[in-house]
Amino acid sequence: MDYGKLAELIFPNIKGTVAELEERFPERTLPEGAKVTRFAPSPTGYMHIGGLYAAMISRKIAKQSGGVFYLRIEDTDKKREVEDGVGEIIRSLKEFDLEFDEGPFAGGETIYAPYKQSERKEIYQICVKELMKKGLAYPCFCTAEELDEIRRKQEEAKEDLGYYGKYAVARNLTYEEIEEKIHAGMPYVVRLKSPGTAGAYVRYTDPIRGNIDMPENIMDVVLLKSDGIPTYHFAHAVDDHFMRTNLVIRGDEWLASYPLHKQLFELCGFELPEYVHISPIMKAEGNGKRKLSKRKDPEAAVGFYLEQGYPSESVLEYLMTIANSNYEEWHMANPDKTIDDFTLSLSKMPVSGALFDMVKLTDVSKEMVSTFTSEQCYEKILVWAEIYNKKLYEFASAKKDDFLKTIDLWKISGNKVRKDVAKWSDLTELFGYLYVPEEELALSYELDEKYTKEQLEEVIKAYQKDLFLDSDNWFGQMKLLGEQLGYCPNVKEYKKNPDGYKGSITDICTIVRVAVTGKKNSPDLFTIMNVIGKDRTEARLNRFLEEVR
Ligand code: GLU
């Protein structure tokens, strides 16, 4: 067979050469040891938390080595694509402060562009044409029925499934047969003519898993689909070579494809990059664990964290503890440092699926929020609320000083830092009495059964006469008020003689607290009332009286 002639028959319009591509996309000049990594998602409109994890790791490795982190959009499957899927990916990652050095966005285009696979069709075809000229690729006209038939025979004979060896019948087509089919307009794919040997092994050394021996690839896999678009495998080899990636960090579902990828790089004459296969994020279930599923677990989607208002720092911090279990200890020893100062080690990454634990994330996040200043919280809440909680946004932007006071309230108690808030949606959940507009506020009163209706009414009515909101000794005033009603101002004394009183100052404060906030426990009540103001406080006392009546 004259392979040159075959290549011209299949690709009459492809004039470029691989040598020209080598020149157009030259090797990068970077310092010794610098890693060029990438994030290569498909724009399906859904970003999985595992994708964020992979992006964080790839970016971190690039940054800590003085390298480059870029975004490549793998949009070869048009059926799964959604409108603005690319914008969605870029925005979500930006919200987590994971910015790219290069990619398909304004300011990101370099000589290595285009960064979308759908715009690189010619590049792939140049490479396939060259393989074909060398007799390493051929057109295959097999129909779906013919492929099914091959599969049936292989299943019957208990042989490996796939297009290879004696089953790869299109390998044997003559030039004339191919020409006839092409002229008849028959659809075809282009396959690799694999030179692999059955029974031979390739050794792969993964930084996480160590040495792995895998069977050499013998399959004549599809390189170009019938629409001329490459498969993932071929696009991976071409793109990671010409974008000059030197470290491919990807999910371990691709581990088994390593022998094929190695073969593709070799046959194309490309230098093989290093690879790392990271294990997926799992969820505990019963005694075992399973992959976080898009269908079953809302927390599988990155959008969930954005919507709930987890600060990006918390999510990344938690993902880092999953990536390197020594991170936590390091952070404890270096409390003033952040993940940017930490050196991530690929070899210390978990070998099998790392557990994602929402309770742990909540703890990490409470800790993180407690390290923000009130002003920082304010800025972050504003950004979140503008999208996810319009009413809160209105309050925060219209009354910054009042809003800052509410932040201080739940952040600091006396000289202690409180750790109640893990995510911004907690604000209305825990402190609705501060943040929910009066007419929408639903209070359920956490009242101890020991209080009688009459008692509650008596206390609230007495308090309604003067709320002491201007007083510089509110607690002292409350003690006096209680005393007049028969409540002991001193808790210790009351404990010694409980029958001598109706209750103690604690009861007085609890009753007012529940009336105003619905809750038995809250941050400083005097400040709460001052923040919500006299009118709203009075309205709540009235409302409480009506409820208990
Ligand atoms: N588009 C592939 C995926 O989403 C990328 C895998 C890779 O990083 O090479 O799984």
Side-chain angles (χ1 to χ4, degrees):
M1 163 95 74
D2 182 340
Y3 295 118
K5 205 167 141 200
L6 177 65
E8 287 311 322
L9 174 68
I10 304 292
F11 299 106
N13 301 321
I14 294 296
K15 302 289 175 220
T17 64
V18 170
E20 280 164 15
L21 294 177
E22 294 287 355
E23 246 174 68
R24 177 173 155 199
F25 305 115
E27 278 189 39
R28 293 172 185 263
T29 37
L30 287 169
E32 180 76 20
K35 300 293 180 210
V36 179
T37 66
R38 82 295 194 275
F39 182 49
S42 299
T44 55
Y46 178 88
M47 192 67 177
H48 193 279
I49 184 77
L52 184 72
Y53 179 62
M56 177 189 82
I57 291 160
S58 300
R59 182 172 188 277
K60 179 77 181 149
I61 293 292
K63 295 289 121 184
Q64 73 188 24
S65 65
V68 174
F69 173 56
Y70 72 86
L71 172 66
R72 179 172 70 232
I73 298 296
E74 308 220 315
D75 55 349
T76 52
D77 186 352
K78 289 287 165 197
K79 286 194 292 296
R80 285 174 58 222
E81 196 168 328
V82 299
E83 211 190 309
D84 197 31
V86 178
E88 187 68 31
I89 291 166
I90 295 172
R91 279 192 301 276
S92 322
L93 287 165
K94 205 170 174 167
E95 291 204 53
F96 287 93
D97 299 320
L98 297 178
E99 302 218 17
F100 299 96
D101 299 312
E102 301 172 8
F105 47 82
E109 307 273 350
T110 70
I111 53 162
Y112 299 101
Y115 291 93
K116 282 187 192 163
Q117 290 185 330
S118 58
E119 293 168 14
R120 300 172 65 80
K121 214 165 148 177
E122 195 188 348
I123 299 174
Y124 306 119
Q125 298 198 352
I126 291 172
C127 297
V128 180
K129 184 171 182 180
E130 215 131 303
L131 282 179
M132 199 173 270
K133 276 190 198 161
K134 290 191 237 164
L136 291 168
Y138 62 92
C140 167
F141 301 85
C142 285
T143 60
E145 292 72 36
E146 285 167 324
L147 294 176
D148 282 349
E149 181 56 22
I150 291 176
R151 188 187 174 89
R152 205 192 48 72
K153 281 190 192 149
Q154 289 169 339
E155 275 170 351
E156 213 176 80
K158 296 201 168 31
E159 287 177 320
D160 287 342
L161 303 182
Y163 204 84
Y164 64 95
K166 65 175 186 211
Y167 294 106
V169 286
R171 269 188 180 206
N172 309 324
L173 291 175
T174 62
Y175 180 84
E176 289 68 31
E177 285 167 329
I178 294 172
E179 190 178 38
E180 197 185 309
K181 290 177 195 289
I182 294 280
H183 288 154
M186 276 179 75
Y188 64 92
V189 298
V190 178
R191 288 186 183 274
L192 169 73
K193 194 186 279 178
S194 171
T197 312
Y201 277 79
V202 291
R203 165 152 294 194
Y204 163 61
T205 307
D206 188 272
I208 302 176
R209 285 152 233 270
N211 290 338
I212 307 171
D213 292 316
M214 287 183 270
E216 202 170 280
N217 176 60
I218 55 162
M219 300 289 163
D220 283 4
V221 294
V222 174
L223 303 177
L224 291 183
K225 296 181 266 188
S226 57
D227 53 4
I229 300 281
T231 52
Y232 164 72
H233 304 298
F234 192 61
H236 154 55
V238 172
D239 291 345
D240 280 314
H241 174 66
F242 285 117
M243 292 181 174
R244 306 294 176 177
T245 311
N246 58 16
L247 175 61
V248 172
I249 300 176
R250 63 183 181 183
D252 65 1
E253 69 271 26
W254 297 111
L255 181 61
S257 305
Y258 173 83
L260 165 62
H261 296 163
K262 180 172 189 282
Q263 191 177 61
L264 288 174
F265 273 85
E266 278 167 8
L267 297 178
C268 290
F270 303 156
E271 193 184 328
L272 191 68
E274 286 176 66
Y275 286 85
V276 182
H277 294 90
I278 58 180
S279 46
I281 290 184
M282 314 278 268
K283 179 178 175 123
E285 194 172 63
N287 291 330
K289 51 185 181 177
R290 61 167 174 80
K291 273 195 191 181
L292 267 178
S293 124
K294 175 174 168 176
R295 203 165 40 83
K296 289 195 226 159
D297 312 307
E299 73 271 29
V302 165
F304 169 82
Y305 303 89
L306 296 173
E307 221 171 278
Q308 294 279 311
Y310 285 93
S312 57
E313 292 88 342
S314 307
V315 178
L316 295 183
E317 172 99 357
Y318 179 52
L319 290 177
M320 194 59 89
T321 66
I322 294 183
N324 269 185
S325 58
N326 58 318
Y327 173 73
E328 242 175 313
E329 206 180 306
W330 174 88
H331 198 192
M332 246 155 0
N334 300 279
D336 299 331
K337 300 201 166 159
T338 70
I339 50 176
D340 293 336
D341 307 304
F342 178 68
T343 306
L344 177 74
S345 158
L346 290 172
S347 60
K348 288 192 184 127
M349 288 192 60
V351 176
S352 71
L355 271 193
F356 192 88
D357 177 353
M358 286 304 276
V359 176
K360 189 79 203 290
L361 169 65
T362 302
D363 287 345
V364 166
S365 199
K366 284 180 177 172
E367 206 60 52
M368 181 61 77
V369 170
S370 77
T371 67
F372 299 151
T373 63
S374 297
E375 189 71 38
Q376 284 170 329
C377 287
Y378 177 77
E379 297 301 332
K380 290 174 195 293
I381 293 167
L382 215 57
V383 170
W384 173 78
E386 186 170 9
I387 305 171
Y388 300 105
N389 190 333
K390 285 274 182 276
K391 295 234 162 86
L392 193 68
Y393 177 74
E394 276 163 32
F395 173 21
S397 51
K399 297 189 183 155
K400 179 168 178 185
D401 287 344
D402 281 354
F403 200 82
L404 277 173
K405 274 189 214 151
T406 68
I407 297 176
D408 288 339
L409 204 56
W410 51 255
K411 268 186 71 64
I412 305 144
S413 139
N415 49 12
K416 258 186 52 203
V417 178
R418 297 173 64 102
K419 293 175 186 169
D420 299 326
V421 173
K423 54 188 193 298
W424 307 131
S425 56
D426 285 347
L427 296 184
T428 44
E429 198 73 24
L430 297 174
F431 307 115
Y433 51 82
L434 287 173
Y435 296 118
V436 177
E438 208 58 31
E439 59 286 0
E440 286 167 32
L441 182 66
L443 291 178
S444 60
Y445 299 108
E446 294 175 358
L447 265 180
D448 201 315
E449 304 234 321
K450 73 181 180 193
Y451 300 123
T452 64
K453 263 188 213 172
E454 294 69 31
Q455 189 178 11
L456 296 172
E457 233 165 357
E458 185 185 34
V459 171
I460 296 300
K461 282 189 168 156
Y463 180 60
Q464 275 179 323
K465 290 192 188 119
D466 187 345
L467 308 182
F468 315 122
L469 291 187
D470 303 322
S471 167
D472 49 15
N473 184 9
W474 180 80
F475 195 54
Q477 299 281 8
M478 291 304 274
K479 281 185 182 170
L480 285 175
L481 175 91
E483 230 173 341
Q484 285 160 16
L485 299 174
Y487 290 77
C488 183
N490 182 306
V491 179
K492 261 195 205 148
E493 215 164 280
Y494 169 68
K495 284 205 176 130
K496 276 190 230 147
N497 178 19
D499 296 333
Y501 303 93
K502 286 190 197 160
S504 77
I505 175 66
T506 309
D507 295 303
I508 294 287
C509 291
T510 301
I511 292 169
V512 175
R513 185 186 308 278
V514 173
V516 175
T517 68
K519 305 200 186 283
K520 307 196 272 229
N521 295 305
S522 79
D524 183 63
L525 182 58
F526 175 68
T527 318
I528 290 176
M529 292 188 294
N530 268 308
V531 167
I532 64 176
K534 188 156 184 264
D535 293 349
R536 287 177 75 186
T537 306
E538 275 170 347
R540 292 208 194 160
L541 296 173
N542 284 330
R543 178 168 163 181
F544 178 75
L545 284 179
E546 267 168 40
E547 294 274 334
V548 297
R549 191 164 287 148

